Amino acid sequence: MTADHRLIFCTCPDEATAGRIGEALVEERLAACANLLPGITSIYRWEGQIQRDPEVLLLIKTTTERVGALTERLRALHSYEIPEIIAVPVTEGLPDYLSWVTTCTDHND
C-alpha cells in the first residue's frame, strides 16, 4: 500500500464552523469525507499566554494530490489566523475505502 492518501487534522471554534468547512471541502471535491468530533478542549500557547478553549476537531480524508489545494481553501474558509492543518500519511487502509477517497476527490470528473 502506498501513502497516496492523507488524514488532515483541523480544529475549529464550534460545530457550525466545522460543518461549514467540511461541507465546502467535500462539495468542492477537495475531501472525500470530513468527520466532526465535538467536545474537545485545546490547551495551547498564543501570543505569550496559555489558552484553554473548547473546539471541534475535523478529521478530513483526502489524497496526497489534493492536499495543497485543500490547505489553501481551508485557510480561506477558516476564522483562525493560523488554523491547525496537519496532514498525516495513510500508510494502510481498506483498499475499497481508499479507492472511494480517490474517486471522490478526483477533480477531473
Side-chain angles (χ1 to χ4, degrees):
M1 180 75 55
T2 61
D4 293 333
H5 299 87
R6 295 289 184 267
L7 175 62
I8 311 271
F9 292 82
C10 178
T11 50
C12 297
D14 52 51
E15 258 188 90
T17 301
R20 179 179 52 80
I21 290 171
E23 285 181 25
L25 296 175
V26 172
E27 176 67 33
E28 296 170 24
R29 301 182 76 89
L30 295 168
C33 177
N35 303 112
L36 284 68
L37 281 77
I40 67 167
T41 300
S42 294
I43 302 169
Y44 57 97
R45 185 177 302 277
W46 183 250
E47 297 180 344
Q49 301 292 317
I50 301 296
Q51 307 291 324
R52 181 185 191 105
D53 291 305
E55 290 187 299
V56 174
L57 179 62
L58 266 176
L59 297 178
I60 306 162
K61 286 73 151 223
T62 193
T63 59
T64 303
E65 178 186 351
R66 300 298 274 159
V67 169
L70 185 148
T71 298
E72 184 177 315
R73 184 67 173 129
L74 187 47
R75 287 200 76 165
L77 292 168
H78 212 291
S79 59
Y80 290 170
E81 183 179 338
I82 304 173
E84 173 187 16
I85 303 173
I86 297 173
V88 178
V90 175
T91 58
E92 293 186 41
L94 181 68
D96 291 344
Y97 182 83
L98 297 177
S99 178
W100 172 79
V101 171
T102 300
T103 299
C104 289
T105 57
D106 184 358
H107 57 284
N108 296 316
D109 277 352

